């Protein structure tokens, strides 16, 4: 029984302890819950304050937006009002312009009617005036024609007296086709020369004292022969090409230092003599405009080379280049296949193109007084050759028998 009582007491003590601890734990838990609630309440307060601040800020922003909207609405309202006023003013201006234009059109219609009446009234006056002008012009034309005829008569008379001064007698210069003024000691020609000789075909002016080519010749469009040897002319005008019918041009014994390039424009030229001048060179385009040239005389000048264009003279029959300073012939020389007479005497030629035999129409050929070393074998093809002069070439002593036999009709001078 004592043990049991002890045990029971012990159990009771234990139970008391348990309940005490439990109660203590419950109190602790209550304290913790109170703290948690307090903290949560504080958090809620903070959140509320933040929300309240945000609400205040939002209200402010809304107020600002409202203010801006009011300003914009007021501005747009004013702008719209201004635009309406402008449109209204524009419409009024357009209406006014339309009214003005209508008034102007009405006035112009009235003015046009007035103008039409004025024009109708003046038309008859203008017609009378035109008729009067036409009559005056006709009268003026007749008088002018009479003056021209009188002037031409005076010029012709003056020209006739001028011819008489040089002992040239002619009944009419209008029909004159040939005029010989050679050896008259002329220095120039009368200004009306070309106008007074419309049909002139041949003009002889050699052996005078003319220094400048007389341009008064240029109106002689029918001129075919012009002889001006033995003067003092140095050049030709570009406008000499006006003499398109010119066939013979003699300019030997003048003062030319080169062949005038204007000669290339005389496309119908057949005979050209420039002997005994001071020509040193020939232009590279010489011959390009002379397809009908038959005779070319250039002896006693100072020509040292021939341009390749010399081969363009395909119609050439007579060529005289004697007494110059040539040392050789260009390869194109053999293109002169119509050549019949070729004088190359008194030069310094030392070689002849090997195909020289292509010039098969040659009848006379002179290489006298040169420096030839040999004769090309192609010479045997010159079957029409009648005279071959090779004298005064130090290295040519004789002609081979073979060449002599192949050219039986040729006379050799060595």
């Amino acid at each position: 029984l004592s043990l049991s009582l002890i045990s029971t007491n012990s159990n009771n003590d234990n139970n008391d302890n348990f309940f005490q601890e439990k109660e203590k734990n419950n109190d602790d838990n209550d304290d913790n819950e109170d703290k948690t609630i307090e903290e949560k309440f504080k958090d809620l307060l903070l959140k509320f304050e933040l929300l309240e601040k945000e609400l205040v800020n939002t209200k402010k922003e809304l107020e600002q937006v409202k203010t801006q909207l009011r300003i914009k609405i007021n501005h747009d309202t004013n702008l719209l009002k201004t635009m309406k006023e402008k449109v209204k003013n524009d419409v009024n201006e357009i209406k006014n312009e339309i009214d003005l234009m209508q008034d102007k059109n009405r006035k112009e219609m009235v003015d046009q009617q007035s103008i039409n009446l004025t024009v109708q009234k003046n038309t008859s006056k203008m017609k009378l005036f035109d008729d009067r002008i036409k009559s005056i012009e006709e009268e003026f034309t007749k008088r002018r024609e009479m003056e021209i005829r009188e002037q031409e008569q005076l010029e012709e008379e003056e020209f006739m007296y001028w011819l008489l001064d040089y002992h040239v007698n002619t009944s009419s210069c209008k029909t004159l086709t040939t005029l010989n003024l050679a050896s008259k000691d002329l220095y120039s020609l009368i200004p009306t020369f070309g106008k007074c000789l419309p049909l002139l075909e041949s003009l002889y002016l050699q052996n005078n004292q003319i220094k400048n080519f007389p341009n008064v010749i240029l109106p002689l469009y029918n001129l075919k022969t012009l002889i001006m040897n033995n003067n003092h002319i140095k050049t030709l005008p570009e406008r000499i090409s006006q003499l398109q019918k010119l066939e013979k041009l003699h300019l030997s014994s003048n003062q030319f230092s080169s062949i005038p390039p204007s000669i290339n424009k005389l496309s119908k030229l057949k005979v050209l003599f420039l002997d005994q001048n001071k020509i040193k060179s020939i232009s590279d385009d010489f011959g390009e405009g002379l397809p009908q040239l038959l005779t070319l005389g250039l002896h006693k000048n100072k020509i040292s080379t021939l341009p390749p264009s010399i081969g363009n003279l395909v119609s050439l029959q007579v060529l005289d280049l004697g007494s110059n300073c040539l040392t050789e012939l260009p390869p194109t020389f053999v293109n002169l296949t119509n050549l019949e007479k070729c004088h190359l005497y008194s030069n310094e030629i030392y070689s002849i193109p090997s195909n020289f035999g292509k010039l098969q129409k040659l009848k006379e050929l002179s290489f006298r007084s040169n420096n030839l070393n040999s004769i090309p074998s192609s010479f045997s093809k010159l079957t029409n050759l009648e005279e071959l002069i090779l004298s005064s070439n130090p290295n040519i002593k004789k002609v081979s028998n073979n060449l002599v036999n192949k050219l039986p009709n040729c006379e050799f001078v060595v």
Side-chain angles (χ1 to χ4, degrees), residues 328-365:
E328 59 182 352
L329 302 176
T332 55
F333 193 87
V334 297
N335 294 340
L336 306 177
T337 52
N338 285 303
L339 206 57
E340 296 180 5
K341 297 181 180 181
C342 182
H343 296 161
L344 293 163
Y345 55 85
S346 299
N347 278 280
E348 300 173 15
I349 300 170
Y350 61 87
S351 67
I352 303 172
S354 59
N355 56 349
F356 198 84
K358 289 176 68 175
L359 306 179
Q360 294 183 9
K361 291 186 179 181
L362 270 176
K363 295 179 180 179
E364 296 179 12
L365 177 59

Side-chain angles (χ1 to χ4, degrees), residues 146-394:
M146 288 178 61
E147 288 176 359
I148 290 172
R149 284 195 296 271
E150 290 175 358
Q151 181 66 27
E152 287 178 348
Q153 289 175 358
L154 289 173
E155 289 175 351
E156 187 174 352
E157 288 176 5
E158 183 183 8
F159 182 68
M160 297 288 283
Y161 284 123
W162 182 79
L163 290 178
L164 287 173
D165 285 343
Y166 292 100
H167 310 289
V168 177
N169 294 314
T170 178
S171 58
S172 173
C173 60
K174 290 292 184 183
T175 58
L176 201 64
T177 58
T178 300
L179 178 60
N180 188 351
L181 289 170
S183 304
K184 300 294 184 183
D185 202 31
L186 290 172
Y187 285 83
S188 61
L189 301 178
I190 191 170
T192 57
F193 189 90
K195 294 169 65 177
C196 294
L197 298 164
L199 300 179
L200 195 68
E201 295 181 1
S202 300
L203 176 60
Y204 298 87
L205 290 167
Q206 67 269 29
N207 303 322
N208 280 290
Q209 304 295 326
I210 299 172
K211 292 184 177 181
N212 297 314
F213 185 88
N215 289 330
V216 293
I217 291 175
L218 299 178
L220 300 175
Y221 300 118
N222 290 302
L223 197 65
K224 295 180 179 179
T225 300
L226 177 58
I227 312 297
M228 298 191 73
N229 298 333
N230 197 21
N231 278 281
H232 306 286
I233 302 169
K234 294 181 179 181
T235 185
L236 297 179
E238 280 292 323
R239 292 192 299 126
I240 197 172
S241 57
Q242 293 178 208
L243 303 178
Q244 281 298 304
K245 293 185 179 181
L246 196 64
E247 296 178 359
K248 297 179 181 179
L249 180 59
H250 291 218
L251 295 168
S252 299
S253 300
N254 275 282
Q255 300 293 321
F256 291 99
S257 59
S258 63
I259 298 178
S262 53
I263 285 179
N264 268 340
K265 298 178 181 179
L266 300 172
S267 58
K268 292 189 177 180
L269 198 64
K270 294 181 180 179
V271 178
L272 174 61
F273 283 107
L274 282 161
D275 304 317
Q276 298 183 46
N277 275 280
K278 300 176 181 180
I279 298 171
K280 295 180 180 180
S281 61
I282 301 176
S283 63
D284 291 337
D285 61 347
F286 175 72
E288 292 180 358
L290 302 172
Q292 299 185 41
L293 194 66
L294 302 176
T295 300
L296 176 59
L298 288 167
H299 85 270
K300 284 194 178 179
N301 278 285
K302 299 178 181 180
I303 302 168
S304 57
T305 57
L306 295 177
S309 61
I310 195 77
N312 293 324
L313 301 174
V314 292
S315 299
L316 200 64
Q317 296 177 358
V318 178
L319 175 61
D320 189 351
L321 279 163
S323 300
N324 276 282
C325 305
L326 297 172
T327 57
E328 59 182 352
L329 302 176
T332 55
F333 193 87
V334 297
N335 294 340
L336 306 177
T337 52
N338 285 303
L339 206 57
E340 296 180 5
K341 297 181 180 181
C342 182
H343 296 161
L344 293 163
Y345 55 85
S346 299
N347 278 280
E348 300 173 15
I349 300 170
Y350 61 87
S351 67
I352 303 172
S354 59
N355 56 349
F356 198 84
K358 289 176 68 175
L359 306 179
Q360 294 183 9
K361 291 186 179 181
L362 270 176
K363 295 179 180 179
E364 296 179 12
L365 177 59
S366 175
F367 278 102
R368 175 176 56 82
S369 300
N370 277 279
N371 295 317
L372 292 178
N373 292 317
S374 62
I375 302 171
S377 59
S378 62
F379 265 43
S380 60
K381 297 178 182 179
L382 303 175
T383 53
N384 288 305
L385 203 59
E386 297 175 359
E387 184 180 62
L388 175 59
I389 302 175
L390 296 168
S391 56
S392 300
N393 281 276

Side-chain angles (χ1 to χ4, degrees), residues 111-128:
D111 290 343
Q112 186 63 41
Q113 291 175 354
S114 176
I115 289 170
N116 290 338
L117 289 172
T118 304
V119 169
Q120 289 175 0
K121 289 178 181 178
N122 289 332
T123 299
S124 57
K125 291 181 180 180
M126 288 294 294
K127 190 175 182 304
L128 292 172

